[in-house]
Amino acid sequence: MLMSDALTSCASITSTPLPYTPITAVVVQCHQEMRSFLNVEPEAFNLRQSLSNDLRVFDLALGTVLGEQQGPEFLAIARRLLTDGAVDSMQVFTLYPELRNPQVFRSLARAFTLHFQLANIAEQKEIVRVNRERRSERSESIRDAILKLKDSGYDADSMQNLLSRIEITPTLTAHPTEAKRKAVLDKLRNLAKCLTEIGSEPTLDDPLETAGRAEESIYRTITTLWQTDEMRSVQLSVDEEVRNALYFFESTIAEVVPWLHDDLLKALNEAYPNEDFVLPAFIKYRSWVGGDRDGNPNVTPDVTWRTVLAHKNQAIEIYLRKVVSLRQELTQSLKLVDASEPLLERTESFKIQKLLKSEHQKRYSQEPYVLALLAIEERLKRTINRDEGSYASAAELLADLREIQSSLQDNRAERISKSGELAHLIRQVEAFGIHLASLDIRQHSERHEEVVTEMLRAAGVVEDYSSLEERKKIDLLTRELKNPRPIMPVTYELSERARSVLEVFFVVRRAQEELNKESVASYVISMTHGVSDLLEVLLLCKEAGVTRVSPEGLIESDIDIVPLFETISDLHNSADLMLQLFENVTYREHLRSRNDRQEVMLGYSDSSKDGGYLAANWALQSTIASLAEVSQTTQIAIDLFHGRGGTVGRGGGRANRAILAQPAGSFSGKIRFTEQGEVVSFRYSLAPIAHRHLEQIVNAVLLAAAGVGARGAEEKYSRVMTELESESRQKYRDLVYEDGEFWSFYSQATPIDHISALPIASRPVFRPGNALQSIEGLRAIPWNFAWVQSRTTLVGWYGMGTAIAKLRSSPEGLATLREMYLEWPFFRSVIDNAQLELTRAHIPTSQLYAKRVKPKELGVRVQAQIEDEYRKTRDSILAITGESEILESAKVIRNTVEFRNPAVMPLSVLQVALMDDWTELSEGDPAWKEAMLQTIAGIAAAMQSTG
């Protein structure tokens, strides 16, 4: 079919085409507007012309495809919804009778969802375009950091010392909240590639015009997307979560990490041209996917074992592709150039080990690098099945690769040895080993106490360990840790619930023995409240052999035990707890075997849910400072693990600015942080986006570790922040926890009931033993997700306005606040992140949701409180920044949000209409459930956030 004939088609993916309705004027207009979907003028929102052009390309392609697939009347309905704006949700099915068909309803929501997915791609391309335009003078780059440090007086020795301290560990988490299937992600990635090729020159191997082929591919891919079900038919399994995480390692992470090492080396060569630096693998990844057991019964010991194997196999597959490519490149002949004697000797040993086929030995007898790489390829293949001759460690693989590198360097091929595919592969192996990413295990502290109680009862040690006071628990656990005998009697069988907790420790031991020590490196304890919580895990490690008692009675440990402090109270108490823990002689022995390093995880999500945005941020900042003092006092290095989420209410925002905003003197150069949900998809779908994200982090880590930043700010403004924390926390908790009717409002004014049914993660939205009836048991992700859906974004600012308004009521207070904003990176970050959430909030949309609350008086009352606090927060921030509108100095972000707002409204109207009639509709066609889930996915795509 010719594109010019597209709109004449009435083909539909539903069983019958949409019935024609008399909207002639709109249909004619649709014809005249070149079949675009929404025909919105991006320039009207002050978007850059290049971005506007890309948005138009996608809008026209989407409109054309929808015209082909659904017919012109379908486009007309979408246009009417866009034009009508905030329609009364109770009138939707009257004004749009076509929407009584759930298939049509869902298709309309899908159309808007796809519109936003395409807009996201266009924006990502724009980010790449801007970064390339500013390549030579790009701020927050690795080069920028190195040159700044050189100019500040850093000599080569100081720089080498700094490099040796840098360690960056992004950690993909086990609650991805990713609404898109891998099949959809692949197609969106292809669309991004095609959009980049439009306007480019033909390539040498392309017989047709590149741009023309790319445009045709866009239309084909959008057609396939439209005919691909975005929604999973069943709940996401843990194995699928693992595959999704591995997708990003394979598609971008494995390529970008060596790229960043090259960037650093180039910057060092530019700043210090006559110096040689030893460059460590400063970026290493970890993962929770398949190891996070907290509240997820689907993460069984078997799943965890399969996960570590899948990680290893993915690493090997990545290396195999690179080795095959290198074989085709390194074809140097002994007839033309020598090879080093050690390499030739190694090649002979490969023959003896029967790693080379006889025909290969004959064919490549004069090509030693090809022979060496064929042997490496064979060893890698054997490693997948753990056969004889496989690589037992990354060190063995690196030794083989470096022998090739050394030979090249010694034989007039230094350029080939130091850059290109071989150097790239070596960097990959240094960073990812043969395990790809160390897997963390996480479990709730209460589950450990249950198991230890059952075990100690079975052993006749104590009848009810859980009833003991904390001091007695610590004493008992310390004694048991020093006792070399196992606790469990051989004949005793644990309960199934306890066995599921204990068995994962045996999986850890198996992974460390059969694969390598790095395959599982940390055990994270959710809701850590006391020293006994860590000693319990150490005891379970001892029972499984992960931790051992030497003949001399000393503790030897192969795993880090990581407390996770999540509530504001636990954050404030964490420094005292760690001091008490470090005084325990037995635990100190464990730390000695872990190089006297202790990792501590800080929970951003639950602390924000517990006390609100401003209170949580200050609790975290003061905790970081307090833990730094503990580290200095005890001479035990404390490495911080930041549990950041996607939204500002869960610690989201610019990670590089958060690093620079840490208390002066608290940052040694090591940092670990979580990468979650839609953040993973946005940051790692495209290599240039991943590169920019990580280079900004490396920039910040270099500067922060070198001591760049405000000094003394925590002490100077501590009293002010403590007052703000108290006021904001009280305001937040008065609404969320003290108002007895708030849950009724929340559950009606957000789609939380329906989010719980969304098949986008393997973990339930409520903690075990909790029903959908209170805030306390609700997890932080769906708590945030629901507020994003209703466009309230309450968790990113509520309580802040009241606290700041009280302080700024006096001239002195306002002057202090303005001074804090100008001089203190932490406070500026808090204010600017809140500005982002205020911009993403849309009060007219939140009012649509609040209007459906029963009784009406409740909806009116709580919505009025929310809007009042919104105004207070907005006015307070403007008073501090001195600007006339929120995000006035970041208009690109503001304009992008405003461009999206008109098209988000129809999705919100559709969602609220479904919520209003849900009881009646859900008893009929089950397709209505998919329609509801599609509106949720659509708004998530529009807001680029699932919590």
Side-chain angles (χ1 to χ4, degrees), residues 293 301-302 494 498-508 544:
R293 303 163 58 79
D302 285 342
L494 282 169
R499 191 170 61 251
S500 71
V501 174
L502 181 60
E503 282 182 354
V504 78
F505 290 89
F506 287 92
V507 171
V508 171

Side-chain angles (χ1 to χ4, degrees), residues 177-429:
T177 59
E178 172 54 69
K180 295 185 288 294
R181 295 167 54 200
K182 181 179 180 296
V184 173
L185 288 170
D186 285 333
K187 292 173 179 60
L188 294 176
R189 183 181 175 87
N190 182 55
L191 285 169
K193 180 176 178 290
C194 292
L195 189 66
T196 301
E197 291 174 352
I198 288 180
S200 63
E201 294 296 324
T203 61
L204 293 177
D205 58 353
D206 186 354
L208 300 175
E209 183 187 2
T210 303
R213 295 186 65 185
E215 188 171 354
E216 290 175 10
S217 183
I218 285 175
Y219 282 80
R220 285 196 304 271
T221 304
I222 291 177
T223 300
T224 308
L225 260 179
W226 185 251
Q227 295 178 357
T228 298
D229 193 352
E230 182 176 359
M231 291 295 163
R232 299 177 178 91
S233 57
V234 294
Q235 194 79 12
L236 186 70
S237 71
V238 181
D239 288 310
E240 286 174 314
E241 285 183 333
V242 173
R243 285 196 293 272
N244 284 353
L246 294 179
Y247 168 87
F248 293 107
F249 279 103
E250 180 184 20
S251 62
T252 56
I253 294 172
E255 296 302 314
V256 169
V257 168
W259 181 3
L260 288 158
H261 284 77
D262 288 346
D263 289 347
L264 179 54
L265 193 58
K266 289 175 183 175
L268 291 168
N269 289 336
E270 179 183 350
Y272 307 91
N274 299 316
E275 302 288 344
D276 288 324
F277 291 92
V278 176
L279 198 59
F282 58 87
I283 300 180
K284 295 186 177 182
Y285 275 77
R286 292 196 183 186
S287 177
W288 280 17
V289 189
D292 184 2
R293 303 163 58 79
D294 180 13
N296 192 346
N298 301 309
V299 183
T300 64
D302 285 342
V303 165
T304 298
W305 174 245
R306 290 200 300 271
T307 299
V308 293
L309 288 180
H311 277 71
K312 182 202 73 171
N313 291 343
Q314 182 64 77
I316 300 304
E317 291 291 344
I318 290 169
Y319 301 154
L320 275 171
R321 285 194 293 273
K322 192 74 71 174
V323 167
V324 170
S325 176
L326 274 170
R327 256 202 301 118
Q328 297 165 350
E329 177 187 344
L330 301 181
T331 53
Q332 286 90 333
S333 172
L334 290 174
K335 296 178 181 180
L336 302 173
V337 63
D338 289 336
S340 68
E341 194 61 33
L343 177 69
L344 296 175
E345 291 174 357
R346 186 166 298 232
T347 304
E348 288 301 314
S349 72
F350 288 150
K351 296 176 184 177
I352 295 171
Q353 297 172 52
K354 298 182 178 180
L355 293 170
L356 290 168
K357 296 178 181 179
S358 58
E359 60 264 33
H360 287 160
Q361 295 181 38
K362 294 176 183 178
R363 183 182 303 167
Y364 303 112
S365 61
Q366 298 301 307
E367 298 178 11
Y369 301 116
V370 172
L371 285 175
L373 288 163
L374 280 167
I376 291 171
E377 182 180 343
E378 177 62 23
R379 290 194 72 182
L380 286 170
K381 289 177 180 177
R382 295 185 185 186
T383 304
I384 292 178
N385 297 319
R386 290 175 285 163
D387 295 331
E388 184 179 354
S390 63
Y391 285 112
S393 67
E396 290 183 6
L397 175 56
L398 283 170
D400 284 347
L401 294 171
R402 285 174 177 150
E403 198 70 79
I404 294 174
Q405 187 179 47
S406 177
S407 178
L408 288 167
Q409 189 167 335
D410 292 344
N411 290 279
R412 307 194 312 276
E414 186 173 359
R415 179 179 287 110
I416 299 172
S417 72
K418 287 191 173 182
S419 63
E421 291 290 296
L422 179 60
H424 192 94
L425 175 57
I426 289 172
R427 286 293 182 205
Q428 284 181 322
V429 178

Side-chain angles (χ1 to χ4, degrees), residues 295 743 752 764-768 770-775 777-779 782:
W743 175 259
I752 185 60
V765 301
F766 273 77
R767 291 191 179 276
N770 294 277
L772 194 63
Q773 60 187 16
S774 69
I775 298 294
L778 182 64
R779 293 188 181 278

Side-chain angles (χ1 to χ4, degrees), residues 613-614 617 648-649 652 793 795-798 800 804 827-841 870 873-874 877 886-887:
Y613 169 69
L614 182 59
N617 271 271
V648 167
T793 67
V795 188
W797 49 267
Y798 195 88
M800 190 173 180
I804 294 177
F827 192 67
R828 176 181 284 272
S829 176
V830 168
I831 294 296
D832 289 348
N833 283 338
Q835 288 195 69
L836 175 61
E837 291 303 278
L838 289 172
T839 302
R840 282 155 45 89
Y870 175 90
T873 307
R874 180 196 61 202
I877 287 176
I886 294 295
L887 285 185

Side-chain angles (χ1 to χ4, degrees), residues 546-724:
V546 179
T547 293
R548 299 164 300 283
V549 179
S550 71
E552 295 77 25
L554 300 176
I555 298 290
E556 298 173 348
S557 190
D558 293 332
I559 196 167
D560 293 329
I561 298 174
V562 183
L564 168 52
F565 300 112
E566 299 179 79
T567 68
I568 288 180
S569 174
D570 284 335
L571 286 167
H572 283 314
N573 294 333
S574 62
D576 289 340
L577 188 153
M578 298 311 294
L579 279 171
Q580 186 183 357
L581 178 69
F582 294 160
E583 289 171 358
N584 185 284
V585 176
T586 303
Y587 193 82
R588 281 298 294 264
E589 289 178 11
H590 155 74
L591 285 180
R592 202 165 289 119
S593 68
R594 305 304 296 164
N595 299 316
D596 280 331
R597 304 197 76 89
Q598 172 68 55
E599 185 170 85
V600 173
M601 184 173 183
L602 306 178
Y604 288 68
S605 303
D606 281 283
S607 59
S608 185
K609 176 173 170 281
D610 177 41
Y613 169 69
L614 182 59
N617 271 271
W618 177 240
L620 287 157
Q621 185 78 352
S622 56
T623 295
I624 292 171
S626 298
L627 289 173
E629 292 180 9
V630 171
S631 180
Q632 291 177 343
T633 301
T634 61
Q635 292 301 296
I636 292 176
I638 295 180
D639 301 326
L640 295 181
F641 179 9
H642 301 268
R644 295 182 175 277
T647 58
V648 167
R650 295 184 51 238
R654 295 281 296 277
N656 60 317
R657 294 185 181 179
I659 292 168
L660 290 169
Q662 291 183 96
S666 67
F667 185 59
S668 64
K670 293 179 181 288
I671 188 167
R672 187 143 85 104
F673 53 90
T674 51
E675 300 273 43
Q676 302 182 17
E678 73 291 340
V679 168
V680 175
S681 180
F682 183 84
R683 290 175 177 168
Y684 293 105
S685 288
L686 300 175
I689 300 293
H691 177 270
R692 179 57 176 163
H693 163 60
L694 291 170
E695 83 163 346
Q696 288 177 310
I697 289 173
V698 177
N699 169 282
V701 166
L702 287 167
L703 295 175
V708 175
R711 292 191 170 275
E714 273 69 32
E715 295 80 4
K716 182 177 181 181
Y717 301 117
S718 176
R719 182 190 61 78
V720 175
M721 285 306 305
T722 300
E723 180 182 332
L724 290 174

Side-chain angles (χ1 to χ4, degrees), residues 35-60:
R35 306 173 308 282
S36 66
F37 176 47
L38 297 178
N39 198 41
V40 177
E41 294 293 330
E43 291 89 349
F45 298 90
N46 296 312
L47 300 182
R48 283 200 359 161
Q49 190 62 53
S50 52
L51 175 58
S52 298
N53 293 341
D54 286 342
L55 289 167
R56 278 206 183 84
V57 168
F58 275 151
D59 193 42
L60 176 59

